[in-house]
Amino acid sequence: MKVPVLRILALGLVFAAGQAFAQASPAPLPAWDKLTPQQREALIAPVRDRWNREPEDRARMLERAQRWQAMTPEQRAQARHGMKRFEDMNPDQRREARALYGHMKALTPEQRDALREQWKKMTPAQREAWMRDNAPPRRDRDRRPTP
């Protein structure tokens, strides 16, 4: 007789937890025009703070914002995917990616494909030498103090 009571209690707890989870799930957020002034301020404040804090980067920030607006939804999704991949890289992988990207910007699509194939065949020592010879100059804001 105790077993059915325990099962009923367990099912009740599962049901209650499910309802609590459903209630805790955030409701879809409204369109920009429906946001409160406080919500808009929370979204804009980080950009405004960076704009004011880094005047030397303002031209680059504006150019990137304009380029983002000109992208198709597919291009934006691809850019987000690339940013996520970069965030997940370790420092050495990021250094390689910066060097390759900086060099590939000036290449034709055929030259890029050839460099990718060449890169796959290189040993770690050859890649290190290539990066030393081809790495773009680092900006001051990219330099992080060593702990």
Side-chain angles (χ1 to χ4, degrees):
M1 185 98 171
K2 284 186 174 183
V3 174
V5 172
L6 290 176
R7 284 186 183 157
I8 291 172
L9 282 174
L11 286 174
L13 287 173
V14 169
F15 178 75
Q19 279 196 322
F21 179 76
Q23 291 172 355
S25 297
L29 293 172
W32 182 265
D33 296 339
K34 303 292 184 202
L35 292 175
T36 66
Q38 295 83 6
Q39 289 171 319
R40 289 181 187 182
E41 176 61 23
L43 290 166
I44 293 171
V47 175
R48 182 186 53 241
D49 293 345
R50 183 169 172 217
W51 182 272
N52 291 333
R53 186 179 61 246
E54 301 173 15
E56 68 281 357
D57 285 344
R58 288 177 184 170
R60 188 170 51 87
M61 290 172 66
L62 184 58
E63 184 270 328
R64 286 183 177 176
Q66 290 168 336
R67 199 170 57 189
W68 184 262
Q69 290 299 316
M71 287 181 179
T72 65
E74 294 80 19
Q75 289 170 324
R76 288 181 183 182
Q78 187 177 14
R80 282 188 196 100
H81 176 72
M83 288 186 283
K84 175 72 174 129
R85 282 185 57 209
F86 188 79
E87 289 170 359
D88 292 343
M89 292 179 182
N90 66 44
D92 288 336
Q93 290 170 322
R94 286 182 183 193
R95 191 168 52 86
E96 284 183 12
R98 282 187 188 107
L100 283 168
Y101 179 77
H103 188 74
M104 285 187 165
K105 285 194 310 188
L107 301 179
T108 65
E110 295 79 20
Q111 291 169 323
R112 288 180 195 153
D113 290 341
L115 179 56
R116 280 188 198 100
E117 289 304 313
Q118 178 187 356
W119 187 264
K120 290 176 188 176
K121 296 174 184 174
M122 287 183 190
T123 66
Q126 290 170 325
R127 289 179 181 178
E128 191 64 38
W130 186 93
M131 286 189 299
R132 213 176 21 256
D133 296 339
N134 296 283
R138 293 184 64 166
R139 295 188 327 260
D140 285 337
R141 68 181 214 79
D142 285 341
R143 297 173 200 243
R144 306 245 190 283
T146 52

